[in-house]
Amino acid sequence: MSLLVVGSVALDSIHTPFGEVDDAVGGSAVYFSVAASLLAPVQVVGVVGSDYPMAELDRLSGRRIDWSGVERAEGESFRWRGKYSFDLQSRETLETRLGVFAQFRPKLPAAFGAAQYLFLGNIDPELQLGVLDQVRSARLVACDTMNFWIEGKRPALLELLKRVDILMVNDSEARELAQDWNIHRAGRWILQHGPRRVVIKQGEFGALLIEPERTFYVPAFPMEEVFDPTGAGDSFAGGFMGYLARTGSTTSDNLRRAMVYGATMGSFAVSHFGIRGFDPVTLEDVERRVRAFRDLTHIEAAEPLT
Amino acid sequence: MSLLVVGSVALDSIHTPFGEVDDAVGGSAVYFSVAASLLAPVQVVGVVGSDYPMAELDRLSGRRIDWSGVERAEGESFRWRGKYSFDLQSRETLETRLGVFAQFRPKLPAAFGAAQYLFLGNIDPELQLGVLDQVRSARLVACDTMNFWIEGKRPALLELLKRVDILMVNDSEARELAQDWNIHRAGRWILQHGPRRVVIKQGEFGALLIEPERTFYVPAFPMEEVFDPTGAGDSFAGGFMGYLARTGSTTSDNLRRAMVYGATMGSFAVSHFGIRGFDPVTLEDVERRVRAFRDLTHIEAAEPLT
């Protein structure tokens, strides 16, 4: 089933203890698409400047990514520069240059309006609402957001929440949105404000799927070498939505499996700089890691004690 | 099978955002025993001062806890006073008075020397080695430690590690011991220095069981109300060891189940001040929560994608 993502297409400059890259292809929509396309075709809506290395995106098209919704505007592309701490636990933004992204008004190609699975990446909630209006009959809508919008555009964000099925955010964002430090109460609050499900990402500690009657937990994959955490959360979203689009089911059991595919994609993302962690990955690799995830929390049944 | 714990028997004064208690019965050996005794009888070795409310311990004896190895010395009991932050994420030690604990030299009653499951709580590694010498034929030995000993008694601690089966520590302790910020590499380092298994506790993020060929992850139980995190790690240890002692098996599969019993006991510990969270708990309650833990990470099988 068709999967559509709207988000940033950027050039990232990343400093980690293991090296650095400049102007690497990145942005939430790119990580999302590269991850999701291992599972299902993806349509992308975004904007780049006249300086963007389109050949890099074209190189990725073999992965069943349709870039025709990425507008090419006069001016500079969105650039982000960040530096990670020695243990990759925190990062500092050194520079953000919005460029053409500042004027981004998502316009969907007519064909994209039929998308059945829609992911609204982290942009102004008013623009996210505008995208929703252009999609005719989505089966499932998920959205991301960030502290900047939670603080500055709360009414629009609350309006958006009423119209999405799943909110997918970091733990700090969930806490700030719900104004509650307890992550499970925060999840409950979010469920009371629109979405039927909330996914809370906790970085190296995995992610939670909170539903009205059940909670699911997927850990992060145990990795002795992590090179670059950039894009892990967007790759998680791509794996999650890609699995749903491929399997066409939104039952609780299938959402749980989608969480594992999300965590799997997150683990590939952090294994190299930028999107390069996905370069060698095949569907067989994905399935192998999904099996490893299953073993990571597998509990062999035993006689109960009572 | 017989289970023995050596550790602190203390009086805790605890300040949380929800209230405070003074001189409550606590200490690592107490939390451990109360949790473990729900699953198996426990023998305790420790020391208290002449001011200790022995009636409080006696009250707990109905739980199959043998306190006869707790020496009563002239002087003050070990007292700890701590204050938690508003979100319970961090705590500050306001006061530590070792009292008679400073002179603690564990002497096991003769009958205790036959213990088959031994937990060496967080005390001076030289004393932990001394306890090991008094136990004749343990089937499984696990130990805890802390940053104070990692920094101040490293040679004795490394000597101890060669003689234990399982090291059970917090993530910060594992990192400091291995001098590596990556928790999985730190676990690997520990496995190369003696123990066949390492359990790494991560507080609200659950716990890892790292074995040479497999890693297991158990999350913390999702709780919308947490009152007092004191003793959660010791209760985890008690549930873990109590399950092993009850079932008499140390296979990888049984260790995984023991992790779930550990996490279950941790969740009871934090539900009230001090050890009071265990007051109403029956074995049926334990089994019910263990089942809830299973559901928390359960992934229903589906057709593989390849």
Side-chain angles (χ1 to χ4, degrees), chain A residues 208-222:
Chain A
L208 287 162
L209 167 66
I210 302 180
E211 303 184 87
E213 307 293 335
R214 289 174 101 184
T215 292
F216 176 69
Y217 190 88
V218 63
F221 195 69

Side-chain angles (χ1 to χ4, degrees), chain A residues 9-223:
Chain A
V9 180
L11 294 172
D12 293 339
S13 297
I14 304 161
H15 305 240
T16 85
F18 314 111
E20 42 190 277
V21 288
D22 278 308
D23 282 349
V25 165
S28 65
V30 171
Y31 280 102
F32 180 100
S33 306
V34 170
S37 64
L38 277 159
L39 302 168
V42 193
Q43 299 166 327
V44 186
V45 171
V47 64
V48 296
S50 39
D51 57 351
Y52 206 82
M54 298 304 286
E56 286 286 310
L57 294 188
D58 289 340
R59 182 178 73 84
L60 299 170
S61 298
R63 292 185 177 275
R64 303 187 290 175
I65 306 174
D66 181 345
W67 301 105
S68 65
V70 177
E71 180 192 348
R72 201 153 185 217
E74 206 57 45
E76 261 202 312
S77 298
F78 181 15
R79 279 180 170 78
W80 176 80
R81 180 180 293 274
K83 184 176 179 175
Y84 287 88
S85 61
F86 77 100
D87 57 2
L88 307 177
Q89 300 294 296
S90 62
R91 75 177 183 195
E92 185 189 353
T93 290
L94 301 175
E95 191 182 16
T96 302
R97 283 152 62 191
L98 289 177
V100 297
F101 197 64
Q103 306 304 324
F104 181 40
R105 297 289 174 275
K107 281 180 294 290
L108 272 55
F112 285 18
Q116 295 194 280
Y117 290 81
L118 172 60
F119 188 76
L120 301 168
N122 164 35
I123 57 175
D124 186 332
E126 292 177 11
L127 300 183
Q128 291 173 313
L129 283 163
V131 171
L132 262 185
D133 289 333
Q134 299 175 58
V135 174
R136 291 186 290 277
S137 57
R139 277 194 61 185
L140 184 133
V141 179
C143 78
D144 189 5
T145 190
M146 69 183 290
N147 297 357
F148 185 74
W149 310 120
I150 295 169
E151 290 155 26
K153 292 277 178 99
R154 193 173 177 88
L157 182 57
L158 291 177
E159 192 55 38
L160 176 70
L161 285 186
K162 292 182 196 154
R163 295 178 59 188
V164 305
D165 302 293
I166 301 178
L167 177 68
M168 185 179 289
V169 286
N170 294 331
D171 42 9
S172 66
E173 292 156 353
R175 288 191 174 100
E176 184 163 1
L177 177 59
Q179 299 177 312
D180 192 328
W181 56 265
N182 180 294
I183 203 69
H184 301 286
R185 282 198 308 260
R188 192 74 44 211
W189 186 96
I190 292 166
L191 293 185
Q192 287 160 356
H193 286 76
R196 288 173 299 151
R197 277 96 175 212
V198 56
V199 174
I200 300 179
K201 296 173 289 181
Q202 302 185 295
E204 63 161 331
F205 297 113
L208 287 162
L209 167 66
I210 302 180
E211 303 184 87
E213 307 293 335
R214 289 174 101 184
T215 292
F216 176 69
Y217 190 88
V218 63
F221 195 69
M223 298 186 75

Side-chain angles (χ1 to χ4, degrees), chain B residues 9 29-30 33 42 44 57-58 60-61 65-70 112:
Chain B
V9 180
V30 171
S33 308
V42 193
V44 186
L57 294 188
D58 290 340
L60 299 170
S61 298
I65 306 174
D66 181 346
W67 302 103
S68 65
V70 176
F112 285 19

Side-chain angles (χ1 to χ4, degrees), chain A residues 185 224 256 287 295-296, chain B residues 185 217 224 256 295 305:
Chain A
R185 282 198 308 260
E224 296 194 12
R256 285 178 166 220
E287 290 294 281
D295 187 63
L296 189 57
Chain B
R185 282 199 307 258
Y217 190 89
E224 296 193 13
R256 285 177 165 221
D295 186 62
L305 303 183

Side-chain angles (χ1 to χ4, degrees), chain B residues 36 59 63 80 92 123 131 213 231 234 240 245 287 297 306:
Chain B
R59 183 179 73 82
R63 292 186 178 273
W80 176 80
E92 183 188 356
I123 57 174
V131 172
E213 307 294 334
D234 299 314
F240 180 86
E287 290 294 282
T297 56
T306 53

